[in-house]
Amino acid sequence: MEEKEKMAAGLPENAFRELKDSEQYHPIMQPNQVYPEVNGWSVTWGVLMAVLFSAAAAYLGLKVGQVFEAAIPIAIIAVGVSTAAKRNKALGENVIIQSIGACSGAVVAGAIFTLPAIYILQAKYPEMTASFVKIFMASALGGILGILFLIPFRKYFVSEMHGKYPFPEATATTQVLVSGEKGGKQAKPLLIAGLVGGLYDFIVATFGWWNENFTSRVTDWGIAIADKAKLVFKVNTGAAVLGLGYIIGLKYAMYITLGSLAVWWLIVPGMSILFHDEVLNIGGSVVTSTVGQMSAEEIFSTYARSIGIGGIAMAGIIGIIKSWSIIKNAVGLASKELKGSTDTQESQIRTQQDLSFKFIAICSITTIIITFIFFWLGVMNNLLFAIVAILLVTVIAFLFTTVAANAIAIVGSNPVSGMTLMTLILASVVMAAVGLNGSNGMLAALIMGGVVCTALSMAGCFITDLKIGYWLGTTPKKQESWKFLGTLVSAATVGGVMMLLNKTYGFDPNIEGHLVAPQANAMAAVIEPMMNGAGAPWILYGIGALIAIILNYFGIPALAFALGMFIPLQLNIPLLIGGAINWFVTSRSKNEEVNKQRGEKGTLIASGFIAGGALMGVVSALLRFGGFNFINEGWLANPMSEICSLIAYILLIVYFIRASK
């Protein structure tokens, strides 16, 4: 069958189901033919997408703590530009564009979940320094390790387990790439939504025409309830966060928000009632105010958030336990190939060609040595500390690689922040035990965490790319080779953007208008007491861990719930609103096909909101950095600015629903 006919027919019937005995999967691009994949066009567009989406994802992630996956919008843009340029046989090129560009989300997640904590702690420890070189090296080395550690698992996840994992994000991206003509038309609503969302968030961030948040403190009775009962309601009214909620969907948004409400509406008011007149110093924290004297936000940041940290860490441990059989099976498959006991005829087929395991082994050892030298001479300046650090990083990154890939394959989301928290706790305990503590210990633990976090994030991202390539019939070897370039470009971009945002807004919670960077704040909160010898709030971590175990027992996604407990309320409520819009537009018609089409249109609009809002946020930061500040702080302190915020938000929601339907 010709390529065009196969594309018109869509993916083969057995693409998403388990194969029967002796049945084979035949991709759209035939294994015995050569197609355009890597060339000047695909590499140039791939690098451009990596730069743009790294900047957008870094801004959004530091603002709300959620990093959007760039695979789908990049795939839509790739199809759109190839259609406009009338390129022939562009499918292979579009996969390479998507694969290089998608490095953005992976590297950004690894960097922003950990490294901004260096800036956060600098306020107390000026001797801690975060340079571009440190951020770039931690991100780049982690990303390269993630690629190298995942390649031996490729055949297990994408071929051996064919049809057993849903791969939600890979499925959606593949459908966009397959439907060439349809994909070209999809670029228009994505662009319009990007302009609407971008302009909306740009007005708020640059001119402050209305407030960024709407809160229950807008009325006198709301202020009274917040002061006396410690009960508050907050919602961020940004377009990007709303789009993120739509992509996440109602089910997981509900779990995240329930975790948030459990903390903000039960634990925080409950602590105020039980310990109203007490000064609680838990785990070495130095507190001088009674719980009753604190605001709801102070109770959350001082005590309740640690419960969420414990929950996230335990969810990561549960993930490793569940993935142990996968690690054994995939390592067995990789060792067979290293011994040369696999089918040599199969390895000669274009769609089965990986980078050689000899090459992977040499590159892995080289990367580990470079990382060791970076730890030794660039971070710790001590041989023993560097040896312990590299052993910890290598073992943890390898073990958690399968957890990350497995999570992406099943639910499409990577619990990288929970696994990184586990890494930081372990690194802090071990490094303090060998004598590295204080501010030097904090810096070392955060750099180690940055390397591991980026490795795990990249592993999850890359398994999606490889599954897309498997379904469509690209050459794995080419995807694997050019992923390294995307990683280096994204690492350089995120380093520059992070330094820009630090100088413009800052990450210090005591600075007005600072970027929240919730995961990085949690990392700082975890390691500071441990590295200062003051201990940690183990009892609060323990409560969170127990909650995660109970949730897992009852089949409730512990990680989603724990993330909700940890991320501020105003950033979780919009996720629920976005998820509710998703449910609403996909359930109004009795015709399931109509509902499906509306859902797909909504995904495009949400992707536009996310990409446009985040990119314009970076533009706004550049203006602020250049000395252009048009915001009237007095107006933002006026309750009417919040009323205007609510009106603008309702209009945005109405547009979202009408455009989707």
Side-chain angles (χ1 to χ4, degrees), residues 482-547:
W482 287 89
K483 197 75 176 172
F484 295 111
L485 175 64
T487 299
L488 294 173
V489 170
S490 299
T493 305
V494 77
V497 170
M498 192 185 299
M499 295 186 79
L500 167 70
L501 294 175
N502 176 60
K503 289 184 179 179
T504 309
Y505 299 108
F507 303 111
D508 186 347
N510 299 315
I511 299 174
E512 185 68 31
H514 73 283
L515 289 173
V516 176
Q519 284 89 348
N521 266 289
M523 308 299 174
V526 165
I527 68 165
E528 186 183 8
M530 297 180 77
M531 284 296 183
N532 279 336
W538 294 110
I539 187 167
L540 298 177
Y541 293 163
I543 292 169
L546 183 62
I547 290 172

Side-chain angles (χ1 to χ4, degrees), residues 42-54 74 77 100-101 489:
S42 60
V43 172
T44 301
W45 275 103
V47 168
L48 181 62
M49 293 296 100
V51 172
L52 284 176
F53 281 90
S54 291
I74 290 174
I77 292 169
I100 294 174
V489 170

Side-chain angles (χ1 to χ4, degrees), residues 400-623:
F400 273 134
T401 290
T402 50
V403 180
N406 194 39
I408 289 287
I410 294 173
V411 298
S413 61
N414 191 347
V416 67
S417 57
M419 295 185 287
T420 305
L421 272 169
M422 270 301 302
T423 302
L424 275 180
I425 292 169
L426 192 59
S428 297
V429 169
V430 173
M431 298 311 290
V434 295
L436 181 60
N437 47 34
S439 59
N440 291 333
M442 293 176 212
L443 179 64
L446 286 169
I447 296 290
M448 290 166 65
V451 173
V452 171
C453 192
T454 312
L456 303 180
S457 181
M458 181 58 73
C461 163
F462 196 24
I463 201 65
T464 294
D465 297 343
L466 293 171
K467 186 64 179 180
I468 293 166
Y470 171 81
W471 272 326
L472 298 179
T474 54
T475 312
K477 188 176 181 178
K478 292 182 179 178
Q479 281 183 281
E480 291 158 4
S481 301
W482 287 89
K483 197 75 176 172
F484 295 111
L485 175 64
T487 299
L488 294 173
V489 170
S490 299
T493 305
V494 77
V497 170
M498 192 185 299
M499 295 186 79
L500 167 70
L501 294 175
N502 176 60
K503 289 184 179 179
T504 309
Y505 299 108
F507 303 111
D508 186 347
N510 299 315
I511 299 174
E512 185 68 31
H514 73 283
L515 289 173
V516 176
Q519 284 89 348
N521 266 289
M523 308 299 174
V526 165
I527 68 165
E528 186 183 8
M530 297 180 77
M531 284 296 183
N532 279 336
W538 294 110
I539 187 167
L540 298 177
Y541 293 163
I543 292 169
L546 183 62
I547 290 172
I549 292 169
I550 294 169
L551 291 170
N552 182 70
Y553 178 79
F554 287 105
I556 298 169
L559 184 72
F561 192 92
L563 279 171
M565 295 174 75
F566 161 68
I567 295 172
L569 178 68
Q570 67 269 25
L571 302 177
N572 290 323
I573 297 294
L575 301 184
L576 184 63
I577 296 171
I581 293 172
N582 186 323
W583 167 81
F584 184 80
V585 300
T586 57
S587 60
R588 294 306 88 196
S589 174
K590 293 180 181 178
N591 186 329
E592 281 304 311
E593 185 59 32
V594 171
N595 285 333
K596 182 182 175 184
Q597 289 177 1
R598 287 175 175 174
E600 290 174 355
K601 184 76 176 291
T603 300
L604 290 175
I605 294 165
S607 298
F609 277 8
I610 292 168
L615 282 170
M616 292 311 291
V618 174
V619 173
S620 179
L622 283 168
L623 286 172

Side-chain angles (χ1 to χ4, degrees), residues 13-33:
E13 173 273 331
N14 61 359
F16 304 119
R17 65 166 173 82
E18 293 185 40
L19 302 177
K20 298 169 186 173
D21 291 339
S22 73
E23 185 184 10
Q24 287 189 324
Y25 174 73
H26 299 287
I28 289 175
M29 297 164 66
Q30 297 176 38
N32 57 357
Q33 291 188 24

Side-chain angles (χ1 to χ4, degrees), residues 42 123 135-136 193 196 232 258 314 478 480 522 539 578 597 624:
S42 60
I135 296 171
F136 171 76
V196 171
V232 294
L258 283 174
M314 180 52 69
K478 292 182 179 178
E480 291 158 4
I539 187 167
Q597 289 177 1
R624 190 84 66 90

